[in-house]
PDB file of all heavy atoms in Angstrom:
ATOM      1  N   TRP A 206      -1.700   6.698 -14.037  1.00  0.00           N
ATOM      2  CA  TRP A 206      -0.555   5.914 -14.492  1.00  0.00           C
ATOM      3  C   TRP A 206      -0.916   4.466 -14.822  1.00  0.00           C
ATOM      4  O   TRP A 206      -0.062   3.588 -14.864  1.00  0.00           O
ATOM      5  CB  TRP A 206       0.557   5.950 -13.429  1.00  0.00           C
ATOM      6  CG  TRP A 206       1.065   7.348 -13.226  1.00  0.00           C
ATOM      7  CD1 TRP A 206       0.791   8.168 -12.186  1.00  0.00           C
ATOM      8  CD2 TRP A 206       1.876   8.085 -14.127  1.00  0.00           C
ATOM      9  NE1 TRP A 206       1.383   9.389 -12.373  1.00  0.00           N
ATOM     10  CE2 TRP A 206       2.069   9.367 -13.562  1.00  0.00           C
ATOM     11  CE3 TRP A 206       2.460   7.800 -15.372  1.00  0.00           C
ATOM     12  CZ2 TRP A 206       2.818  10.351 -14.192  1.00  0.00           C
ATOM     13  CZ3 TRP A 206       3.216   8.784 -15.997  1.00  0.00           C
ATOM     14  CH2 TRP A 206       3.381  10.048 -15.405  1.00  0.00           C
ATOM     15  N   LYS A 207      -2.187   4.265 -15.060  1.00  0.00           N
ATOM     16  CA  LYS A 207      -2.696   2.921 -15.299  1.00  0.00           C
ATOM     17  C   LYS A 207      -1.886   2.179 -16.374  1.00  0.00           C
ATOM     18  O   LYS A 207      -1.461   1.045 -16.185  1.00  0.00           O
ATOM     19  CB  LYS A 207      -4.151   3.037 -15.752  1.00  0.00           C
ATOM     20  CG  LYS A 207      -4.954   1.798 -15.476  1.00  0.00           C
ATOM     21  CD  LYS A 207      -6.431   2.131 -15.603  1.00  0.00           C
ATOM     22  CE  LYS A 207      -7.098   0.939 -16.277  1.00  0.00           C
ATOM     23  NZ  LYS A 207      -8.236   1.337 -17.093  1.00  0.00           N
ATOM     24  N   ASP A 208      -1.686   2.871 -17.436  1.00  0.00           N
ATOM     25  CA  ASP A 208      -0.989   2.248 -18.565  1.00  0.00           C
ATOM     26  C   ASP A 208       0.395   1.754 -18.164  1.00  0.00           C
ATOM     27  O   ASP A 208       0.787   0.635 -18.489  1.00  0.00           O
ATOM     28  CB  ASP A 208      -0.894   3.271 -19.702  1.00  0.00           C
ATOM     29  CG  ASP A 208      -0.345   2.623 -20.955  1.00  0.00           C
ATOM     30  OD1 ASP A 208      -0.782   1.485 -21.248  1.00  0.00           O
ATOM     31  OD2 ASP A 208       0.527   3.222 -21.606  1.00  0.00           O
ATOM     32  N   VAL A 209       1.121   2.597 -17.450  1.00  0.00           N
ATOM     33  CA  VAL A 209       2.478   2.224 -17.022  1.00  0.00           C
ATOM     34  C   VAL A 209       2.416   1.066 -16.044  1.00  0.00           C
ATOM     35  O   VAL A 209       3.203   0.109 -16.129  1.00  0.00           O
ATOM     36  CB  VAL A 209       3.193   3.435 -16.382  1.00  0.00           C
ATOM     37  CG1 VAL A 209       4.569   3.044 -15.879  1.00  0.00           C
ATOM     38  CG2 VAL A 209       3.271   4.592 -17.364  1.00  0.00           C
ATOM     39  N   ILE A 210       1.466   1.148 -15.108  1.00  0.00           N
ATOM     40  CA  ILE A 210       1.353   0.095 -14.099  1.00  0.00           C
ATOM     41  C   ILE A 210       1.043  -1.248 -14.758  1.00  0.00           C
ATOM     42  O   ILE A 210       1.570  -2.285 -14.385  1.00  0.00           O
ATOM     43  CB  ILE A 210       0.270   0.462 -13.054  1.00  0.00           C
ATOM     44  CG1 ILE A 210       0.739   1.678 -12.237  1.00  0.00           C
ATOM     45  CG2 ILE A 210      -0.049  -0.713 -12.139  1.00  0.00           C
ATOM     46  CD1 ILE A 210      -0.313   2.286 -11.349  1.00  0.00           C
ATOM     47  N   GLU A 211       0.236  -1.182 -15.786  1.00  0.00           N
ATOM     48  CA  GLU A 211      -0.153  -2.443 -16.432  1.00  0.00           C
ATOM     49  C   GLU A 211       0.853  -2.929 -17.471  1.00  0.00           C
ATOM     50  O   GLU A 211       1.155  -4.105 -17.555  1.00  0.00           O
ATOM     51  CB  GLU A 211      -1.530  -2.289 -17.079  1.00  0.00           C
ATOM     52  CG  GLU A 211      -2.618  -2.451 -16.036  1.00  0.00           C
ATOM     53  CD  GLU A 211      -3.978  -2.061 -16.570  1.00  0.00           C
ATOM     54  OE1 GLU A 211      -4.118  -1.897 -17.802  1.00  0.00           O
ATOM     55  OE2 GLU A 211      -4.889  -1.903 -15.735  1.00  0.00           O
ATOM     56  N   ASN A 212       1.384  -1.976 -18.244  1.00  0.00           N
ATOM     57  CA  ASN A 212       2.220  -2.397 -19.376  1.00  0.00           C
ATOM     58  C   ASN A 212       3.708  -2.076 -19.237  1.00  0.00           C
ATOM     59  O   ASN A 212       4.475  -2.294 -20.167  1.00  0.00           O
ATOM     60  CB  ASN A 212       1.698  -1.767 -20.665  1.00  0.00           C
ATOM     61  CG  ASN A 212       0.246  -2.092 -20.880  1.00  0.00           C
ATOM     62  OD1 ASN A 212      -0.167  -3.229 -20.643  1.00  0.00           O
ATOM     63  ND2 ASN A 212      -0.526  -1.109 -21.257  1.00  0.00           N
ATOM     64  N   GLY A 213       4.060  -1.494 -18.124  1.00  0.00           N
ATOM     65  CA  GLY A 213       5.473  -1.179 -17.936  1.00  0.00           C
ATOM     66  C   GLY A 213       5.858   0.175 -18.512  1.00  0.00           C
ATOM     67  O   GLY A 213       5.026   0.868 -19.111  1.00  0.00           O
ATOM     68  N   PRO A 214       7.115   0.550 -18.314  1.00  0.00           N
ATOM     69  CA  PRO A 214       7.582   1.879 -18.697  1.00  0.00           C
ATOM     70  C   PRO A 214       7.578   2.092 -20.203  1.00  0.00           C
ATOM     71  O   PRO A 214       7.553   1.129 -20.972  1.00  0.00           O
ATOM     72  CB  PRO A 214       9.024   1.913 -18.170  1.00  0.00           C
ATOM     73  CG  PRO A 214       9.435   0.491 -18.083  1.00  0.00           C
ATOM     74  CD  PRO A 214       8.190  -0.279 -17.753  1.00  0.00           C
ATOM     75  N   GLY A 215       7.612   3.334 -20.590  1.00  0.00           N
ATOM     76  CA  GLY A 215       7.721   3.679 -22.007  1.00  0.00           C
ATOM     77  C   GLY A 215       9.098   3.308 -22.525  1.00  0.00           C
ATOM     78  O   GLY A 215       9.989   2.918 -21.773  1.00  0.00           O
ATOM     79  N   LYS A 216       9.255   3.457 -23.832  1.00  0.00           N
ATOM     80  CA  LYS A 216      10.533   3.133 -24.462  1.00  0.00           C
ATOM     81  C   LYS A 216      11.574   4.151 -24.045  1.00  0.00           C
ATOM     82  O   LYS A 216      11.297   5.343 -24.016  1.00  0.00           O
ATOM     83  CB  LYS A 216      10.364   3.233 -25.982  1.00  0.00           C
ATOM     84  CG  LYS A 216      10.126   1.926 -26.675  1.00  0.00           C
ATOM     85  CD  LYS A 216      10.888   1.952 -28.013  1.00  0.00           C
ATOM     86  CE  LYS A 216      10.579   0.716 -28.833  1.00  0.00           C
ATOM     87  NZ  LYS A 216       9.323   0.847 -29.594  1.00  0.00           N
ATOM     88  N   SER A 217      12.762   3.656 -23.746  1.00  0.00           N
ATOM     89  CA  SER A 217      13.780   4.658 -23.451  1.00  0.00           C
ATOM     90  C   SER A 217      14.298   5.229 -24.764  1.00  0.00           C
ATOM     91  O   SER A 217      14.167   4.611 -25.819  1.00  0.00           O
ATOM     92  CB  SER A 217      14.897   4.070 -22.615  1.00  0.00           C
ATOM     93  OG  SER A 217      15.681   3.227 -23.403  1.00  0.00           O
ATOM     94  N   LYS A 218      14.848   6.392 -24.670  1.00  0.00           N
ATOM     95  CA  LYS A 218      15.134   7.140 -25.887  1.00  0.00           C
ATOM     96  C   LYS A 218      16.444   7.883 -25.714  1.00  0.00           C
ATOM     97  O   LYS A 218      16.778   8.317 -24.614  1.00  0.00           O
ATOM     98  CB  LYS A 218      13.964   8.118 -26.073  1.00  0.00           C
ATOM     99  CG  LYS A 218      14.025   9.005 -27.276  1.00  0.00           C
ATOM    100  CD  LYS A 218      12.698   9.760 -27.435  1.00  0.00           C
ATOM    101  CE  LYS A 218      12.969  11.165 -27.914  1.00  0.00           C
ATOM    102  NZ  LYS A 218      11.802  12.003 -28.021  1.00  0.00           N
ATOM    103  N   GLU A 219      17.182   8.007 -26.793  1.00  0.00           N
ATOM    104  CA  GLU A 219      18.443   8.761 -26.742  1.00  0.00           C
ATOM    105  C   GLU A 219      18.155  10.240 -26.932  1.00  0.00           C
ATOM    106  O   GLU A 219      17.168  10.603 -27.568  1.00  0.00           O
ATOM    107  CB  GLU A 219      19.372   8.312 -27.879  1.00  0.00           C
ATOM    108  CG  GLU A 219      19.879   6.895 -27.749  1.00  0.00           C
ATOM    109  CD  GLU A 219      20.851   6.744 -26.597  1.00  0.00           C
ATOM    110  OE1 GLU A 219      21.740   7.612 -26.458  1.00  0.00           O
ATOM    111  OE2 GLU A 219      20.715   5.790 -25.816  1.00  0.00           O
ATOM    112  N   LEU A 220      19.040  11.062 -26.437  1.00  0.00           N
ATOM    113  CA  LEU A 220      18.916  12.502 -26.708  1.00  0.00           C
ATOM    114  C   LEU A 220      19.190  12.733 -28.187  1.00  0.00           C
ATOM    115  O   LEU A 220      20.032  12.060 -28.789  1.00  0.00           O
ATOM    116  CB  LEU A 220      19.948  13.282 -25.893  1.00  0.00           C
ATOM    117  CG  LEU A 220      19.736  13.352 -24.399  1.00  0.00           C
ATOM    118  CD1 LEU A 220      20.918  14.078 -23.761  1.00  0.00           C
ATOM    119  CD2 LEU A 220      18.446  14.067 -24.060  1.00  0.00           C
ATOM    120  N   ARG A 221      18.478  13.693 -28.750  1.00  0.00           N
ATOM    121  CA  ARG A 221      18.821  14.091 -30.104  1.00  0.00           C
ATOM    122  C   ARG A 221      20.182  14.777 -30.071  1.00  0.00           C
ATOM    123  O   ARG A 221      20.512  15.446 -29.091  1.00  0.00           O
ATOM    124  CB  ARG A 221      17.799  15.088 -30.635  1.00  0.00           C
ATOM    125  CG  ARG A 221      16.615  14.415 -31.316  1.00  0.00           C
ATOM    126  CD  ARG A 221      15.540  15.427 -31.597  1.00  0.00           C
ATOM    127  NE  ARG A 221      14.942  15.902 -30.354  1.00  0.00           N
ATOM    128  CZ  ARG A 221      14.063  16.895 -30.288  1.00  0.00           C
ATOM    129  NH1 ARG A 221      13.708  17.547 -31.359  1.00  0.00           N
ATOM    130  NH2 ARG A 221      13.549  17.268 -29.127  1.00  0.00           N
ATOM    131  N   PRO A 222      20.982  14.635 -31.128  1.00  0.00           N
ATOM    132  CA  PRO A 222      22.295  15.299 -31.088  1.00  0.00           C
ATOM    133  C   PRO A 222      22.133  16.821 -31.108  1.00  0.00           C
ATOM    134  O   PRO A 222      21.117  17.327 -31.604  1.00  0.00           O
ATOM    135  CB  PRO A 222      22.982  14.815 -32.362  1.00  0.00           C
ATOM    136  CG  PRO A 222      21.902  14.289 -33.229  1.00  0.00           C
ATOM    137  CD  PRO A 222      20.756  13.882 -32.356  1.00  0.00           C
ATOM    138  N   ALA A 223      23.129  17.480 -30.577  1.00  0.00           N
ATOM    139  CA  ALA A 223      23.081  18.952 -30.569  1.00  0.00           C
ATOM    140  C   ALA A 223      23.317  19.486 -31.975  1.00  0.00           C
ATOM    141  O   ALA A 223      24.021  18.871 -32.767  1.00  0.00           O
ATOM    142  CB  ALA A 223      24.160  19.487 -29.631  1.00  0.00           C
ATOM    143  N   GLU A 224      22.706  20.602 -32.279  1.00  0.00           N
ATOM    144  CA  GLU A 224      22.974  21.223 -33.581  1.00  0.00           C
ATOM    145  C   GLU A 224      23.225  22.717 -33.390  1.00  0.00           C
ATOM    146  O   GLU A 224      22.771  23.316 -32.422  1.00  0.00           O
ATOM    147  CB  GLU A 224      21.816  20.996 -34.550  1.00  0.00           C
ATOM    148  CG  GLU A 224      20.497  21.474 -34.009  1.00  0.00           C
ATOM    149  CD  GLU A 224      19.367  21.424 -35.030  1.00  0.00           C
ATOM    150  OE1 GLU A 224      19.652  21.453 -36.234  1.00  0.00           O
ATOM    151  OE2 GLU A 224      18.202  21.384 -34.603  1.00  0.00           O
ATOM    152  N   THR A 225      23.961  23.277 -34.337  1.00  0.00           N
ATOM    153  CA  THR A 225      24.242  24.700 -34.263  1.00  0.00           C
ATOM    154  C   THR A 225      23.350  25.434 -35.254  1.00  0.00           C
ATOM    155  O   THR A 225      23.238  25.022 -36.400  1.00  0.00           O
ATOM    156  CB  THR A 225      25.719  24.957 -34.590  1.00  0.00           C
ATOM    157  OG1 THR A 225      26.505  24.238 -33.644  1.00  0.00           O
ATOM    158  CG2 THR A 225      26.057  26.427 -34.482  1.00  0.00           C
TER     159      THR A 225
END
Side-chain angles (χ1 to χ4, degrees):
Chain A
W206 297 104
K207 205 165 141 211
D208 187 43
V209 177
I210 293 170
E211 279 170 13
N212 305 319
K216 262 218 186 83
S217 73
K218 180 171 142 184
E219 293 291 315
L220 290 176
R221 271 170 292 173
E224 56 172 336
T225 301

